Amino acid sequence: MGPFSTDKLRNVVMLSHSGAGKTSLAEAMLFTSGSISRMGKTEEGTTTGDYEPEAVKRTSSTQLSILPCAWNGHKVTLLDSPGYFDFIGDALSSMRVADAAVLVVAAGSGVEVGTEQMWSALRRQGLPCIIVVNKLDRENTDFMATVEELRNTLGRECFALQVPVGQDHNFKSVVNILPAPAEIPAEAQDAYEQAREALIESIAETDDDLATKWLEEGTLTDDEMLEPLRRAVINGTAVPVLAASATQSVGAAEALDAIVALAPSPLEAQNPVEADAALAALAFKTSADPYVGKLTYLKVYSGTLNSNTEVYNAAKERSERLGQLFVPMGKNQEQVASLVAGEIGAVGRLAETTTGDTLSTRDAAAQIVGIDFPAPIYTMAVYPKTKGDTDKMGSALARLAEEDPSLHFVRDQSTSESLLSGMGDAHLDVMVQRAQRKFGVNLLLQTPKVPYRETIGGTTRVEHRHKQQSGGHGHFAHILLRVEPTDGSPEGEFATEVVGGSVPKEFIPAVEKGVRRAWAEGIVAGFPVVDTKAVLYDGSYHPVDSASMDFETCGYFAMKKAFAEGSPVLLEPIMLLRVNTPDAYTGELIGDLNSKRGRILGMIPQDDGRTVVEANVPLPEVQRYALDLRSLTQGRATFTMEVDHYEPLPGNLTQKVVEQHKAGAGA
């Protein structure tokens, strides 16, 4: 394919709520353009875009696919991104390098929560948008009603640029309003006239001279409207709405026509490229390919990127040797000699470059603004299934986190668990499947342990004597400890009040070492001890049988005894939760937090019909809050969560935790 000059390029991200038929529409456009000879089906796992086994299994996209095609002398690169929120990372990567968006809406479903989320995201990034109403061959669909819903929900800048011919199962073609067709089917005549009037009004509103002419003459010609419409689309003040049935290939050609005619080239985009400047290319995604190794996806923002050359990564301050460049087509790659400014491609086996890095020349080192990925909101503990998987788990998950920056993998020292964090349960499930397929690592996901803490509830005094005599040199240590609660001492305090040498100075550090070993291991339920002070105030020793190890052992068991005889307390982490929710869900959301032992701290009204609810909630109650909140608000609310402080765990729950610890220790 190609080559194409920069002005003939169109880079378009495909966005939708999951299940709207975005991948099917991309498949129809590839087929219509002749890029593929046979149309695949998502339900059969045969589409060009959904080639990953995880996507085939779920019958929905789980990662970005790059799908280029040639149309009317232009190269249209479709960036088919996942519609399900869990895979938002790839959608954001796609939006970062796209010059326009096609937002796909299912006719029978209308504006869904995913539609609103994607619309908000592309509006924040200033991407021009074309909307395609898909699945018009289904029962109970109405194109013009969907257009009106779009106008009421997303904005009055949305308007029909086509009308359908036929309805439901009789939907068979579309009629363009601009340019006006030579002949209009009788069944579409009324809808066409109404839509054309609305189109003229919408375009006239974007240009004062056109508005005057329209008011004076009552109409505008196609030639008078086309360029103002294109400018308005690029500026984001006009959003054309098209009609389609992807599975029937109806509307695919017209969608490609609209992309070529109305979407900006990279030279006209919000972040325009520079064809004649020094090289600068952004790495917007990496992928661990089991056949070719690491693949790095690039968009050239200035200059020309050539195969088999040396480039410079300013972020890493390292040179990279480029091998063969590719233009991906789903899972396949077409080798190319170079990529011009505005073009999207890939290269294999870069050693240093990761997502967000810029490749340039050393003489004109550049750093393009990268991609702002969301922080993970859902965490699970991950374990190797077998001993053989243990050694491979860390490196496999680290590579997957490099491939998807919205995935985090860390080791929690307080619970000795490996934690995998992402955007939801589906996200983590797919990553585990991918780890098995790509790296041969079999993993299990479990609810993470809660990082409880232990402390003493009141002052207690204990005496412990360590004595062993079995002939020959014996072991002896004797100490008296006072153990008391204290504030703000996460590692515990140790002090001595010994006088008169009842415990020699050289043995006191050993007592402290034993005490701290008990604190680190946990005494009641295996969790670290905090906010506790131990004071050694008396004891005795044997001039022959006493040694440092004896006093360390004595300190260890004395602390165990202190907690057994005192009033031990388990502390649970209390989270500061901030939920940004539409006002309609506020009451139900507060009721849910109350049921989770939460305390509402405040409600902060926002200007956009939303409210931020702040609350303290125990971590054990909100480990699956990402899923609970999504169900409660249909995915319309967002939240952040961080540890705020620790509080005593209620007695009935403390007993459960202690019993679980004993059962685990027994196993």
Side-chain angles (χ1 to χ4, degrees), residues 108-283:
S109 304
V111 178
E112 299 175 271
V113 60
T115 313
E116 296 175 4
Q117 290 171 339
M118 295 303 181
W119 172 262
S120 297
L122 67 89
R123 276 329 210 191
R124 284 195 300 270
Q125 298 203 24
L127 279 181
C129 181
I130 295 170
I131 297 177
V132 177
V133 178
N134 189 29
K135 300 188 176 182
L136 281 167
D137 58 324
R138 306 289 177 88
E139 290 183 358
N140 302 316
T141 57
D142 187 324
F143 175 72
M144 296 310 297
T146 304
V147 172
E148 190 58 30
E149 182 186 359
L150 291 167
R151 288 170 62 82
N152 292 333
T153 307
L154 305 184
R156 306 307 288 179
E157 62 267 36
C158 303
F159 58 86
L161 194 59
Q162 297 172 345
V163 294
V165 178
Q167 192 170 346
D168 296 349
H169 299 306
N170 295 319
F171 173 58
K172 51 183 176 288
S173 64
V174 298
V175 176
N176 289 322
I177 298 171
L178 185 69
E183 188 174 331
I184 302 167
E187 59 190 300
Q189 185 69 46
D190 290 345
Y192 171 84
E193 291 176 357
Q194 293 176 19
R196 185 171 176 87
E197 188 67 21
L199 171 63
I200 293 172
E201 180 179 351
S202 298
I203 295 175
E205 289 175 353
T206 68
D207 188 296
D208 291 341
D209 292 337
L210 285 179
T212 300
K213 187 175 188 300
W214 175 54
L215 290 172
E216 290 175 351
E217 301 181 12
T219 189
L220 297 173
T221 66
D222 288 353
D223 291 340
E224 289 172 326
M225 289 191 289
L226 188 56
E227 185 55 33
L229 174 60
R230 186 170 191 272
R231 287 198 307 269
V233 171
I234 293 174
N235 294 334
T237 56
V239 180
V241 183
L242 312 181
S245 167
T247 56
Q248 304 301 318
S249 288
V250 178
E254 290 80 2
L256 286 166
D257 286 339
I259 290 170
V260 168
L262 301 176
S265 76
L267 297 169
E268 305 164 303
Q270 183 189 30
N271 299 305
V273 304
E274 299 179 75
D276 299 326
L279 172 67
L282 176 67

